[in-house]
Amino acid sequence: MIVKKIHEPILFVDVLFLTDCKPKEVEEYAVKNNINGLPDCYHLQGFVDTMERKLKGGEKEISYIVWIENKNGFYTLIHEIVHLITRIFTDRSIPISKGNDEIFAYYQNWWFKKLWRIMNQKTNEGR
């Protein structure tokens, strides 16, 4: 199981990335770390979800969780990154349109490079 916290400094995005793990491991990790409301991932190969936390003063902190079951899941990663960017843009009131699809493409490229490199790291078990 690979777990990595990522901070993207331009749009101030925090992502918890999990890969190389089965749905049961995701469920156990979520319980252990008080992460509630994740989708049922037993029929999926990956997912993206939003995590909200209330701060003092009533403000909300929004972060994201991305799970890709198979660390070789190249196509699943590309698919889920589109969901991630759509959520990020929506939460920041950035429209997704023909007029800004170039920024979407650059942002997708940034997230793909970052997450694909993590997926290709060896785990503690030496896999």
Side-chain angles (χ1 to χ4, degrees):
M1 176 178 209
I2 298 171
V3 178
K4 183 83 172 176
K5 293 180 182 176
I6 302 149
H7 176 74
E8 185 278 298
I10 304 301
L11 295 179
F12 301 101
V13 174
D14 292 311
V15 169
L16 177 63
F17 182 54
L18 293 86
T19 190
D20 196 27
C21 55
K22 299 293 181 196
K24 183 70 173 166
E25 293 174 281
V26 174
E27 187 178 283
E28 290 168 357
Y29 182 89
V31 168
K32 181 179 176 183
N33 291 281
N34 297 316
I35 300 171
N36 300 316
L38 294 182
D40 175 7
C41 57
Y42 285 90
H43 62 284
L44 303 172
Q45 295 176 352
F47 70 73
V48 171
D49 204 3
T50 304
M51 298 187 297
E52 292 184 13
R53 191 173 74 159
K54 294 215 179 202
L55 302 174
K56 293 179 183 175
E59 293 182 31
K60 281 192 305 187
E61 176 183 82
I62 297 175
S63 61
Y64 306 90
I65 184 168
V66 177
W67 167 67
I68 307 295
E69 180 176 21
N70 184 332
K71 69 182 282 177
N72 297 317
F74 180 88
Y75 300 110
T76 304
L77 178 62
I78 291 171
H79 175 97
E80 296 304 336
I81 287 172
V82 170
H83 293 306
L84 174 64
I85 295 169
T86 300
R87 285 177 185 244
I88 292 168
F89 277 26
T90 300
D91 290 343
R92 284 155 181 77
S93 300
I94 300 170
I96 299 170
S97 67
K98 184 178 178 183
N100 74 344
D101 69 346
E102 193 66 21
I103 188 64
F104 191 101
Y106 277 111
Y107 204 52
Q108 181 181 23
N109 191 43
W110 188 91
W111 278 108
F112 179 78
K113 283 182 184 178
K114 182 66 105 176
L115 299 181
W116 185 244
R117 287 176 179 159
I118 293 167
M119 287 172 71
N120 284 286
Q121 294 175 352
K122 295 193 183 304
T123 62
N124 291 338
E125 296 86 30
R127 288 188 270 161

